[in-house]
């Protein structure tokens, strides 16, 4: 198939960017979206034009490195990551607009690449369980009810891609945050720090300049790992409990 | 936000219930209006509870608006560059219209209060009667006023449908798939009850079922 | 180590140097070794630790766990990765699980059995002492991960679930659905971020190490490029740890992430660290086949599918284009069941891979023509579907099957899946001693970057174990002993070694940008990959390897004359990043071929056609090749081979048989 691509090009963090239109012919349905961009980049390289910069690493939907706004949808029209989106989801003659994640907390570095280090700082604020290597008790000393273990796992599936922020009209990172709070809150090991964790992480979230959540739900629709919106509710509950406990 | 929203939701439910008394005729309604002002007497002065209520509502309104505009501002700052193309997947019409819908409801409210409590205007052009029932009946016999109310109720429906779900979520009551789905339904049920309930009296008046 | 070669050039390709005598393992029984080593390692006064600095390259399981633990101990740690967040290291992609000798099922598992299985799995080409220690600390890994909140799969009673994996007979694999690597890495990442908050670990993301700084024979720092600004930075420290992962991407197509590279370890190799067993590559049998020229990487499908799927190809070449559903039972060749009646579809990875290649070479491959060749065999869930029904099948493999459908556009519940082998893991890496120290003092290697524990073949679920054992438990103890001798004399920013390192990196970058030829970096990488796959892939022959070496040399030559890297050095420039990596792959590829050529035996993942039994099985030659091949960089000269003899005290050598 033949496609028209309108792609955001921006030479660096502090310069203005704009859309540039490209044509790609002979796109096969078996290509992933990023492989299609690889083909375009080869084409640009041979024309002596600088290739389009975009992030990807594992290309199998798990590292969370990739992420593009594809015609207005975070990671494109399927519930998956950009690297796992295949061109058979498009048809011949389509025009596709490709933009980076847009959120002030995710500044653009170049073209389609953004800086998501705010997520790391949110984790630094409290997204862990304090235990030193060597200090751990025998694994079977604390059983974890299966239901809790399963919900912890379902929340821990988050790959930190930032699609939730990209899709949220408020550019809020509450789904990412809720996923982590729920993961650590569901296991017994996470209880001692439960109150302080949520308070510190929310404070860092707000400090990073993400928007507030008004429960719109776009985040969870865009999430490639289908993290449900109810983790945000758990976060709110934990926050309320923590505030009641005087944090 | 959630707390003030909840107060509003409860208030509109109660107000809607009160309004339905119009259907029982002049006496029932005026009695109710009078009764509202005498609850608690003699412990409270005349209209005491009403004032308590008014203060709670006013404080809530200020808080609600403050919270709403703060969030709005934060959202604007959080994404100062907009997408060239942005599609919506799951977000409902209601959730999208929270802000402008809220503003609309606020404007409506100002007018509503001018009309029925603070200034008291009779839009039918008759002299303003001192009995609330008459004022309401006079007013809603005017078709365009009723129309304004109908439109306002649509806005209210949307605001409440998302709002009630949203407050459940914000208060952390939707931790499971089940409670989450129930909160979604609850939003629409409460909104529908309120709006239908509110609309019955004006329409009844307009179509001369209540005179 | 350079000494006059003790033997003349072999094939004109390498010298033979002095053997490696001492691995520094304590001279006690294998059960007591690690305890003794831990005890003997000198201590560092807590108040001095802050003054001792360690650079860690890599934030995968090995690097992140080491950073977290050294940070907790109070050392001053700098952590580097090329991704935008430490959490994205390639360990995140591991699916199956992690082994540990917990014996929770009381099915006869023990430290000794895990040790035994790992040595046997590695086809008796690994070092006993290291493997024993690995098995010994494995149980502690699970304790720690659970304490960190890693959501392992559990039974209804709330206890941890285990499965058996990778052809062993006990259930010792801990897992978190099909995302074990992710969950373990998130645990290590969180522990590391905790230390970032505590101020002991400083993260440098989007930073690529491009050179090692060696001063007075000691590793003292690195040159890294800030991939956002392009700035070349010098970082100095008392010790350097390389936990930079594997180099499977030398094959261009592999299950590795796009950025996986050999640069960090190769640069260290060039500075004197020996590179061990580079030719040992693991090829995984169940990957989704290549669909066309555009393909950028291959995706692994969990091996567990072989438990329920039957592998076949058409008996007749004419049938290869047919819809598989129209090929009747009697025209199908269930070749694994035919050749290996006892193990059938569950034979080890190397055997399953090689047989698939034979079938395709025989013209009976299926799927689309890529070039003039069909690369694929059927993995048919039809029987399982009839036996278990769609629902149960979906419950067991739903995620995998969805992924398959997303990638291929075919419905695996109805049409037999297609699979083909792909490069998956590299057992080779920097040579390390018992302390995980390389031949450069103060330079350590951990995780897939070292060669240590898997011999010629790695068992399923044992890499995650090794990475975490190295990072959480081994390194922090052994490196302590080294650091106790520090802080070492400060290195000046303008010391000649530093300036020289900076200059060489700068020069290389300038050179890459100035060639302005006609071919893209990717086209070179792809061609290198084809050569490697063809001549140093699943089956290796003397003739092929010699040809491969020639092809690589001329390709390397062309690369430095004709590569086109656009853009500049002082911005984010992905072509430049790739160019540097491919340049190193072009050197590594040759060494891999030389290593494969010199090892005239078949063992584990290394199959030499010249060394097979009458019925086509790998034939080991313990008499001549019972050693680790550690290569010394030769610069313009050929490399020098140093042999570390493998001595088995605790385990008796046996020939592998799966018939
Ligand atoms: C698809 C797949 C599935 C697997 N499944 C399993 C399994 O089920 N069980 C199992 O035991 N093993 C499995 N493995 C193997 C295992 O995942 C890896 O061997 C292991 O995770 C390697 O970890 P590591 O810490 O050594 O390196 P990696 O996780 O690869 O990390 C490398 C790190 O080094 C950094 N780095 C590299 N080069 C540079 C440089 N030049 N400068 C700066 N930083 C650099 C990277 O940024 C990264 O942080 C699997 C592998 C793959 C590919
Ligand atoms: C200018 C006026 C108003 C604005 C801008 C406004 C805006 C908003 C917004 C943005 C929310 C969503 C908050 C969230 O989900 O977290 C909200 C919630 C809500 N609003 Fe309003 N609103 C206004 C007036 C009103 C009025 C007059 C009522 C009373 C009927 C009302 C009732 C509610 C309710 C019940 C909620 C749900 C509370 C919650 O989500 O936690 N609002 N409002
Ligand atoms: C069709 C719908 C409605 C009708 C017919 C109606 C009618 C009235 C009447 C008659 C009064 C005066 C009562 C009295 O003075 O005793 C009143 C007061 C009021 N109404 Fe409504 N109303 C409607 C909808 C609403 C809505 C949607 C809101 C809020 C969002 C609202 C908020 C109020 C408030 C705050 C007062 C003042 C109460 C007081 O005196 O303290 N009304 N309404
Ligand atoms: S919650 Fe979902 S969308 Fe958000 S970062 Fe995690 S995986 Fe991505
Ligand atoms: S879309 Fe945004 S508003 Fe909340 S529910 Fe999701 S973060
Ligand atoms: S590249 Fe890893 S998730 Fe897409």
């Amino acid at each position: 198939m033949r496609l028209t691509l309108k792609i955001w090009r921006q030479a660096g963090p502090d310069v203005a960017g704009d859309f540039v239109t490209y044509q790609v012919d002979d796109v096969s349905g078996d290509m992933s979206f990023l492989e299609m961009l690889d083909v375009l980049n080869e084409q640009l390289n041979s024309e002596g034009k600088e290739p389009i910069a975009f992030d990807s690493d594992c290309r199998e939907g798990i590292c969370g490195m990739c992420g593009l706004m594809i015609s207005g949808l975070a990671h494109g029209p399927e519930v998956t990551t950009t690297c796992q989106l295949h061109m058979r989801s498009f048809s011949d003659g389509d025009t596709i607009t490709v933009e980076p994640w847009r959120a002030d907390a995710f500044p653009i570095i170049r073209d389609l690449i953004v800086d998501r280090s705010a997520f790391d700082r949110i984790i630094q604020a409290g997204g862990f369980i304090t235990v030193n290597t060597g200090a751990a008790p025998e694994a079977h000393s604390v059983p974890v009810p299966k239901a809790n273990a399963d919900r912890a796992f379902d929340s821990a599936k988050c790959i930190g891609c930032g699609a939730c922020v990209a899709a949220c009209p408020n550019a809020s990172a509450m789904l990412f945050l809720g996923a982590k709070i729920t993961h650590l809150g569901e296991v017994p090991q996470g209880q001692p720090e439960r109150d302080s964790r949520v308070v510190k992480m929310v404070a860092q979230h707000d400090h990073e300049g993400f928007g507030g959540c008004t429960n719109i739900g776009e985040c969870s629709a865009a999430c490639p790992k289908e993290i449900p919106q109810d983790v945000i509710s758990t976060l709110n509950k934990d926050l309320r409990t923590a505030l009641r406990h005087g944090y | 936000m959630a707390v003030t929203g909840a107060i509003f939701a409860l208030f509109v439910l109660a107000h809607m219930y009160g309004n339905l008394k119009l259907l029982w005729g002049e006496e029932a309604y005026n009695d109710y209006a009078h009764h509202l002002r005498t609850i608690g007497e003699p412990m409270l002065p005349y209209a005491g509870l009403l004032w308590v209520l008014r203060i709670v509502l006013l404080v809530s309104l200020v808080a609600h608006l403050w919270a709403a505009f703060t969030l709005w501002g934060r959202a604007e700052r959080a994404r100062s560059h907009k997408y060239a193309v942005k599609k919506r997947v799951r977000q409902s019409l209601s959730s999208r219209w929270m802000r402008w819908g809220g503003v609309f409801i606020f404007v409506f409210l100002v007018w509503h209060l001018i009309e029925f409590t603070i200034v008291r205007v009779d839009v039918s052009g008759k002299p303003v009667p001192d009995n609330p029932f008459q004022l309401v009946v006079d007013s809603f016999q005017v078709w365009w006023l009723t129309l304004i109310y109908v439109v306002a109720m649509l806005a209210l429906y949307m605001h409440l449908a998302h709002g009630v779900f949203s407050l459940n979520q914000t208060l952390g009551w939707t931790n499971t798939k089940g409670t989450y789905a129930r909160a979604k339904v609850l939003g629409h049920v409460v909104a529908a009850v309120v709006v239908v309930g509110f609309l019955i009296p004006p329409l009844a008046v307009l179509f001369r079922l209540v005179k | 180590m350079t000494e006059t070669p003790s033997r003349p050039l072999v094939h004109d390709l390498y010298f033979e140097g002095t053997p490696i005598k001492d691995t520094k393992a304590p001279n006690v029984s294998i059960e007591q070794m690690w305890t003794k080593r831990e005890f003997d390692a000198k201590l560092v006064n807590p108040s001095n630790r802050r003054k001792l600095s360690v650079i860690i390259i890599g934030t995968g399981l090995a690097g992140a766990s080491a950073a977290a633990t050294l940070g907790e101990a109070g050392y001053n740690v700098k952590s580097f990765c090329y991704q935008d967040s430490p959490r994205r290291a390639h360990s995140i992609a591991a699916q199956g699980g992690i082994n540990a000798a917990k014996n929770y099922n009381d099915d006869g598992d023990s430290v000794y059995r895990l040790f035994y299985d790992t040595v046997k799995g590695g086809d008796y080409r690994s070092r006993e002492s290291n493997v024993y220690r690995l098995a010994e600390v494995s149980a502690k890994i699970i304790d720690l991960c659970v304490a960190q909140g890693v959501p392992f799969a559990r039974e209804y009673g709330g206890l941890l679930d285990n499965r058996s994996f990778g052809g062993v007979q006990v259930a010792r694999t801990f897992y978190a659905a099909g995302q074990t690597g992710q969950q373990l890495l998130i645990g290590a990442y969180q522990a590391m971020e905790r230390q970032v908050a505590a101020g002991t670990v400083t993260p440098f993301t989007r930073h690529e190490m491009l050179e090692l700084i060696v001063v007075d024979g000691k590793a003292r720092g690195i040159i890294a490029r800030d991939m956002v600004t392009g700035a070349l930075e010098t970082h100095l420290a008392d010790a350097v740890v390389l936990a930079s992962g594997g180099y499977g991407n030398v094959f261009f197509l592999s299950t590795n992430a796009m950025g996986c590279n050999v640069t960090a370890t190769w640069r260290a190799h060039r500075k004197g660290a020996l590179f061990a067993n580079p030719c040992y590559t693991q090829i995984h049998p169940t990957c989704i086949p290549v669909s066309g020229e555009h393909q950028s990487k291959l995706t692994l499908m969990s091996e567990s599918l072989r438990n329920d799927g039957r592998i076949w190809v058409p008996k007749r070449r004419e049938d290869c284009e047919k819809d598989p559903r129209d090929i009747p039972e009697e025209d199908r060749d269930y070749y694994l069941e035919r050749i290996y009646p006892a193990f059938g579809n569950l034979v080890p990875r190397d055997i399953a891979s090689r047989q698939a290649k034979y079938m395709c070479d025989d013209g009976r491959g299926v799927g689309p023509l890529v070039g003039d060749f069909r690369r694929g065999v059927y993995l048919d869930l039809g029987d399982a579907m009839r036996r278990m029904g769609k629902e149960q099948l979906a419950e067991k493999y739903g995620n995998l099957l969805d992924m398959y459908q997303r990638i291929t556009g075919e419905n695996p519940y109805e049409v037999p899946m297609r699979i083909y082998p792909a490069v998956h893991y590299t057992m080779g890496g920097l040579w390390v001693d018992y302390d995980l120290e390389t031949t450069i003092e103060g330079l350590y290697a951990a995780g897939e970057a070292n060669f240590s524990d898997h011999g010629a073949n790695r068992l399923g679920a044992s890499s995650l174990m090794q990475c975490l054992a190295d990072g959480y438990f081994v390194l922090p103890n052994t490196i302590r002993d080294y650091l106790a001798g520090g802080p070492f004399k400060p290195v000046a920013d303008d010391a000649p070694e530093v300036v020289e390192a900076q200059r060489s990196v700068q020069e290389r970058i300038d050179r890459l940008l100035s060639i302005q030829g006609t071919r893209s970096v990717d086209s070179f990488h792809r061609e290198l990959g084809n050569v490697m796959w063809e001549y140093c892939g699943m089956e290796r022959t003397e003739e092929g390897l010699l040809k491969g070496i020639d092809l690589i040399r001329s390709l390397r030559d062309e690369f430095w004359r004709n590569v086109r890297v656009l853009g500049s050095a002082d911005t984010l420039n992905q072509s430049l990043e790739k160019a540097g990596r491919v340049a190193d792959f072009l050197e590594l590829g040759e060494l891999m071929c030389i290593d494969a050529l010199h090892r005239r035996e078949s063992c584990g993942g290394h199959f030499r056609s010249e060394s097979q039994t009458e019925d086509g099985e790998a034939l080991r030659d313990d008499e001549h090749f019972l050693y680790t091949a550690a290569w010394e960089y030769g610069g313009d000269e050929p490399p020098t081979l140093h042999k570390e003899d493998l001595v088995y005290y605790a385990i008796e050598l046996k020939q592998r048989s799966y018939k």
Side-chain angles (χ1 to χ4, degrees), chain C residues 39-56:
Chain C
F39 181 78
D40 287 347
K42 289 190 245 28
L43 298 176
V44 180
N45 184 335
S47 62
N48 282 339
R49 296 183 193 165
R50 186 70 212 148
K51 294 177 215 140
L52 292 160
S53 53
V54 183
I55 286 174
I56 301 180

PDB file of all heavy atoms in Angstrom, chain C residues 39-56:
ATOM      1  N   PHE C  39      34.041 -14.781  53.371  1.00  0.00           N
ATOM      2  CA  PHE C  39      34.689 -14.473  54.635  1.00  0.00           C
ATOM      3  C   PHE C  39      36.047 -13.826  54.413  1.00  0.00           C
ATOM      4  O   PHE C  39      36.419 -12.880  55.105  1.00  0.00           O
ATOM      5  CB  PHE C  39      34.839 -15.741  55.479  1.00  0.00           C
ATOM      6  CG  PHE C  39      35.473 -15.469  56.804  1.00  0.00           C
ATOM      7  CD1 PHE C  39      34.716 -14.908  57.823  1.00  0.00           C
ATOM      8  CD2 PHE C  39      36.825 -15.725  57.013  1.00  0.00           C
ATOM      9  CE1 PHE C  39      35.298 -14.618  59.044  1.00  0.00           C
ATOM     10  CE2 PHE C  39      37.404 -15.425  58.239  1.00  0.00           C
ATOM     11  CZ  PHE C  39      36.649 -14.874  59.264  1.00  0.00           C
ATOM     12  N   ASP C  40      36.767 -14.323  53.430  1.00  0.00           N
ATOM     13  CA  ASP C  40      38.111 -13.805  53.188  1.00  0.00           C
ATOM     14  C   ASP C  40      38.119 -12.401  52.583  1.00  0.00           C
ATOM     15  O   ASP C  40      39.112 -11.689  52.679  1.00  0.00           O
ATOM     16  CB  ASP C  40      38.877 -14.743  52.243  1.00  0.00           C
ATOM     17  CG  ASP C  40      39.272 -16.035  52.957  1.00  0.00           C
ATOM     18  OD1 ASP C  40      39.167 -16.055  54.206  1.00  0.00           O
ATOM     19  OD2 ASP C  40      39.671 -16.995  52.274  1.00  0.00           O
ATOM     20  N   ALA C  41      37.037 -12.061  51.914  1.00  0.00           N
ATOM     21  CA  ALA C  41      37.016 -10.739  51.272  1.00  0.00           C
ATOM     22  C   ALA C  41      37.144  -9.664  52.340  1.00  0.00           C
ATOM     23  O   ALA C  41      36.428  -9.673  53.335  1.00  0.00           O
ATOM     24  CB  ALA C  41      35.712 -10.563  50.491  1.00  0.00           C
ATOM     25  N   LYS C  42      38.065  -8.751  52.110  1.00  0.00           N
ATOM     26  CA  LYS C  42      38.316  -7.713  53.115  1.00  0.00           C
ATOM     27  C   LYS C  42      37.101  -6.815  53.288  1.00  0.00           C
ATOM     28  O   LYS C  42      36.283  -6.676  52.384  1.00  0.00           O
ATOM     29  CB  LYS C  42      39.522  -6.871  52.686  1.00  0.00           C
ATOM     30  CG  LYS C  42      40.842  -7.616  52.790  1.00  0.00           C
ATOM     31  CD  LYS C  42      41.991  -6.654  52.588  1.00  0.00           C
ATOM     32  CE  LYS C  42      42.858  -6.796  51.425  1.00  0.00           C
ATOM     33  NZ  LYS C  42      42.807  -7.246  50.175  1.00  0.00           N
ATOM     34  N   LEU C  43      37.017  -6.204  54.466  1.00  0.00           N
ATOM     35  CA  LEU C  43      35.885  -5.320  54.736  1.00  0.00           C
ATOM     36  C   LEU C  43      36.292  -3.877  54.505  1.00  0.00           C
ATOM     37  O   LEU C  43      37.455  -3.521  54.560  1.00  0.00           O
ATOM     38  CB  LEU C  43      35.427  -5.500  56.184  1.00  0.00           C
ATOM     39  CG  LEU C  43      34.928  -6.899  56.542  1.00  0.00           C
ATOM     40  CD1 LEU C  43      34.603  -6.972  58.031  1.00  0.00           C
ATOM     41  CD2 LEU C  43      33.714  -7.267  55.705  1.00  0.00           C
ATOM     42  N   VAL C  44      35.274  -3.053  54.247  1.00  0.00           N
ATOM     43  CA  VAL C  44      35.536  -1.626  54.077  1.00  0.00           C
ATOM     44  C   VAL C  44      34.756  -0.899  55.162  1.00  0.00           C
ATOM     45  O   VAL C  44      33.558  -1.123  55.335  1.00  0.00           O
ATOM     46  CB  VAL C  44      35.071  -1.126  52.696  1.00  0.00           C
ATOM     47  CG1 VAL C  44      35.348   0.365  52.544  1.00  0.00           C
ATOM     48  CG2 VAL C  44      35.747  -1.916  51.584  1.00  0.00           C
ATOM     49  N   ASN C  45      35.432  -0.058  55.891  1.00  0.00           N
ATOM     50  CA  ASN C  45      34.814   0.719  56.936  1.00  0.00           C
ATOM     51  C   ASN C  45      33.668   1.571  56.357  1.00  0.00           C
ATOM     52  O   ASN C  45      33.869   2.276  55.377  1.00  0.00           O
ATOM     53  CB  ASN C  45      35.905   1.625  57.515  1.00  0.00           C
ATOM     54  CG  ASN C  45      35.384   2.428  58.683  1.00  0.00           C
ATOM     55  OD1 ASN C  45      34.186   2.671  58.791  1.00  0.00           O
ATOM     56  ND2 ASN C  45      36.290   2.817  59.561  1.00  0.00           N
ATOM     57  N   PRO C  46      32.458   1.489  56.951  1.00  0.00           N
ATOM     58  CA  PRO C  46      31.319   2.216  56.377  1.00  0.00           C
ATOM     59  C   PRO C  46      31.622   3.685  56.090  1.00  0.00           C
ATOM     60  O   PRO C  46      31.143   4.229  55.091  1.00  0.00           O
ATOM     61  CB  PRO C  46      30.232   2.077  57.444  1.00  0.00           C
ATOM     62  CG  PRO C  46      30.572   0.814  58.154  1.00  0.00           C
ATOM     63  CD  PRO C  46      32.070   0.686  58.104  1.00  0.00           C
ATOM     64  N   SER C  47      32.417   4.302  56.914  1.00  0.00           N
ATOM     65  CA  SER C  47      32.647   5.732  56.694  1.00  0.00           C
ATOM     66  C   SER C  47      33.541   5.990  55.484  1.00  0.00           C
ATOM     67  O   SER C  47      33.573   7.096  54.954  1.00  0.00           O
ATOM     68  CB  SER C  47      33.265   6.357  57.941  1.00  0.00           C
ATOM     69  OG  SER C  47      34.518   5.741  58.174  1.00  0.00           O
ATOM     70  N   ASN C  48      34.247   4.965  55.047  1.00  0.00           N
ATOM     71  CA  ASN C  48      35.093   5.149  53.867  1.00  0.00           C
ATOM     72  C   ASN C  48      34.377   4.881  52.561  1.00  0.00           C
ATOM     73  O   ASN C  48      34.865   5.212  51.489  1.00  0.00           O
ATOM     74  CB  ASN C  48      36.301   4.203  53.928  1.00  0.00           C
ATOM     75  CG  ASN C  48      37.346   4.734  54.871  1.00  0.00           C
ATOM     76  OD1 ASN C  48      37.355   5.937  55.167  1.00  0.00           O
ATOM     77  ND2 ASN C  48      38.191   3.858  55.383  1.00  0.00           N
ATOM     78  N   ARG C  49      33.207   4.216  52.675  1.00  0.00           N
ATOM     79  CA  ARG C  49      32.582   3.731  51.444  1.00  0.00           C
ATOM     80  C   ARG C  49      32.168   4.855  50.508  1.00  0.00           C
ATOM     81  O   ARG C  49      32.263   4.747  49.302  1.00  0.00           O
ATOM     82  CB  ARG C  49      31.371   2.866  51.794  1.00  0.00           C
ATOM     83  CG  ARG C  49      31.806   1.621  52.549  1.00  0.00           C
ATOM     84  CD  ARG C  49      30.642   0.724  52.824  1.00  0.00           C
ATOM     85  NE  ARG C  49      31.036  -0.295  53.801  1.00  0.00           N
ATOM     86  CZ  ARG C  49      30.188  -1.048  54.465  1.00  0.00           C
ATOM     87  NH1 ARG C  49      28.888  -0.918  54.277  1.00  0.00           N
ATOM     88  NH2 ARG C  49      30.625  -1.937  55.331  1.00  0.00           N
ATOM     89  N   ARG C  50      31.681   5.929  51.112  1.00  0.00           N
ATOM     90  CA  ARG C  50      31.228   7.069  50.327  1.00  0.00           C
ATOM     91  C   ARG C  50      32.352   7.581  49.406  1.00  0.00           C
ATOM     92  O   ARG C  50      32.111   8.111  48.335  1.00  0.00           O
ATOM     93  CB  ARG C  50      30.763   8.143  51.319  1.00  0.00           C
ATOM     94  CG  ARG C  50      30.117   9.358  50.774  1.00  0.00           C
ATOM     95  CD  ARG C  50      28.739   9.101  50.195  1.00  0.00           C
ATOM     96  NE  ARG C  50      28.521  10.010  49.085  1.00  0.00           N
ATOM     97  CZ  ARG C  50      27.796   9.744  48.020  1.00  0.00           C
ATOM     98  NH1 ARG C  50      27.200   8.595  47.891  1.00  0.00           N
ATOM     99  NH2 ARG C  50      27.655  10.637  47.064  1.00  0.00           N
ATOM    100  N   LYS C  51      33.575   7.382  49.866  1.00  0.00           N
ATOM    101  CA  LYS C  51      34.704   7.904  49.083  1.00  0.00           C
ATOM    102  C   LYS C  51      35.108   6.970  47.959  1.00  0.00           C
ATOM    103  O   LYS C  51      35.973   7.307  47.148  1.00  0.00           O
ATOM    104  CB  LYS C  51      35.913   8.110  50.010  1.00  0.00           C
ATOM    105  CG  LYS C  51      35.687   9.180  51.042  1.00  0.00           C
ATOM    106  CD  LYS C  51      36.896   9.277  51.977  1.00  0.00           C
ATOM    107  CE  LYS C  51      36.456   9.606  53.395  1.00  0.00           C
ATOM    108  NZ  LYS C  51      37.195   8.884  54.413  1.00  0.00           N
ATOM    109  N   LEU C  52      34.527   5.780  47.950  1.00  0.00           N
ATOM    110  CA  LEU C  52      34.890   4.804  46.925  1.00  0.00           C
ATOM    111  C   LEU C  52      33.812   4.790  45.848  1.00  0.00           C
ATOM    112  O   LEU C  52      32.629   4.671  46.146  1.00  0.00           O
ATOM    113  CB  LEU C  52      35.011   3.417  47.550  1.00  0.00           C
ATOM    114  CG  LEU C  52      36.202   3.293  48.497  1.00  0.00           C
ATOM    115  CD1 LEU C  52      36.022   2.126  49.442  1.00  0.00           C
ATOM    116  CD2 LEU C  52      37.483   3.154  47.690  1.00  0.00           C
ATOM    117  N   SER C  53      34.250   4.915  44.603  1.00  0.00           N
ATOM    118  CA  SER C  53      33.234   5.035  43.569  1.00  0.00           C
ATOM    119  C   SER C  53      33.307   3.871  42.587  1.00  0.00           C
ATOM    120  O   SER C  53      34.372   3.337  42.306  1.00  0.00           O
ATOM    121  CB  SER C  53      33.422   6.356  42.834  1.00  0.00           C
ATOM    122  OG  SER C  53      34.748   6.443  42.389  1.00  0.00           O
ATOM    123  N   VAL C  54      32.130   3.497  42.106  1.00  0.00           N
ATOM    124  CA  VAL C  54      32.022   2.391  41.156  1.00  0.00           C
ATOM    125  C   VAL C  54      31.154   2.838  39.997  1.00  0.00           C
ATOM    126  O   VAL C  54      30.080   3.411  40.203  1.00  0.00           O
ATOM    127  CB  VAL C  54      31.367   1.160  41.823  1.00  0.00           C
ATOM    128  CG1 VAL C  54      31.323  -0.009  40.844  1.00  0.00           C
ATOM    129  CG2 VAL C  54      32.100   0.765  43.088  1.00  0.00           C
ATOM    130  N   ILE C  55      31.626   2.577  38.797  1.00  0.00           N
ATOM    131  CA  ILE C  55      30.821   2.845  37.601  1.00  0.00           C
ATOM    132  C   ILE C  55      30.198   1.528  37.175  1.00  0.00           C
ATOM    133  O   ILE C  55      30.885   0.508  37.100  1.00  0.00           O
ATOM    134  CB  ILE C  55      31.711   3.398  36.475  1.00  0.00           C
ATOM    135  CG1 ILE C  55      32.087   4.847  36.779  1.00  0.00           C
ATOM    136  CG2 ILE C  55      31.023   3.267  35.120  1.00  0.00           C
ATOM    137  CD1 ILE C  55      33.081   5.436  35.799  1.00  0.00           C
ATOM    138  N   ILE C  56      28.897   1.550  36.917  1.00  0.00           N
ATOM    139  CA  ILE C  56      28.232   0.330  36.452  1.00  0.00           C
ATOM    140  C   ILE C  56      27.589   0.600  35.100  1.00  0.00           C
ATOM    141  O   ILE C  56      26.749   1.497  34.973  1.00  0.00           O
ATOM    142  CB  ILE C  56      27.169  -0.154  37.452  1.00  0.00           C
ATOM    143  CG1 ILE C  56      27.825  -0.425  38.814  1.00  0.00           C
ATOM    144  CG2 ILE C  56      26.473  -1.406  36.943  1.00  0.00           C
ATOM    145  CD1 ILE C  56      26.890  -0.893  39.880  1.00  0.00           C
TER     146      ILE C  56
END
